[in-house]
Amino acid sequence: MAGSFAAFEALVARYERPTYSLAMRMVRHAEDAQEVVQETFLSVVEHLKQFRRQSTFHTWLVRIATNHALRVLRRRKRNRAVPLETDHDEAQPLPHPDFIAQWRDEPSSLAQQSEVRRILEDALSELDEKYRLVFVLRDVEGLSTEETAKALDIGISNVKVRLLRARLMLRERLTRQLGDPHTRLPAHGHEDVTSEPITDQTKEGKP
Amino acid sequence: MKCEQLLKAINDYVDGQIDPAVCKDLEQHLAGCNPCQVVVDNIRKTITLYRGGQPYPMPPELCQRLRQVLREKWQRQFPQAR
């Protein structure tokens, strides 16, 4: 794959912004994200001859960027290892849906609104790092469960549990902001309740 | 299937990786449970909304610095190449 620098520059031009967005979503800090991007592309040059097209270039790049992001996150914790594998997600109860309502618009239209883009990034920032990293790799970057497990050096079952929690937490946060309150339904644990929208009276006392 | 079980299976369902027997139970539950229908729909929309976005523009100083350090690295790595 190694060829002229001009060809490589074209590759950089195509992938630098997505890589910067990925880095920002993982490390949540502009200077650290810049470092991740720079180190990622330097690693790409260094290992370009080893790229064997066993994976796509995008997947390879995401894995390299994830390595550098993890390094930054670990350094932030004063060289203590990121405790990605130390707690037991399976043992904790799932975050149950509380605010259940239809969204006020379709994703294609919501995505065009700058206010919604800010809501999305804020919601992602509020997730714990271990959930955020899995969600970003699986659902934003489109890596498989196995590729995500490899990139983060965690087990496949951890990826699955963290993705479930991440999606449920993001759904809750986004629905509180993007949901139409008039379509709000009773919260989960609702086998015996009706599916009638919640009235203002029934909403009282909710956080 | 109860709501709690649906919640545990929701990822496999929206990712299209669910066991067909479980899928049948799940869809039976969905047919009679409006809140679960909405939660599944919310989850699908959440994923769609995040996918494909590049929300952060490259800082111009990074663009410039990146070209420079990469050019230097390239010349060291591939001294024969132009």
Side-chain angles (χ1 to χ4, degrees), chain B residues 1 16-17 21 24 38 42 47 51 55 69:
Chain B
M1 180 174 280
Q17 293 169 352
K24 200 177 158 196
V38 175
N42 290 165
I47 298 165
R51 207 161 264 174
V69 297

Side-chain angles (χ1 to χ4, degrees), chain A residues 58-89:
Chain A
H58 169 255
T59 303
W60 189 60
L61 187 68
V62 168
R63 281 197 63 183
I64 294 172
T66 303
N67 274 339
H68 288 294
L70 288 175
R71 198 169 296 167
V72 165
L73 292 170
R74 284 181 183 128
R75 189 182 65 211
R76 237 187 242 170
K77 294 177 183 180
R78 296 180 186 169
N79 296 327
R80 275 182 294 132
V82 179
L84 282 169
E85 198 68 272
T86 52
D87 49 2
H88 305 287
D89 293 285

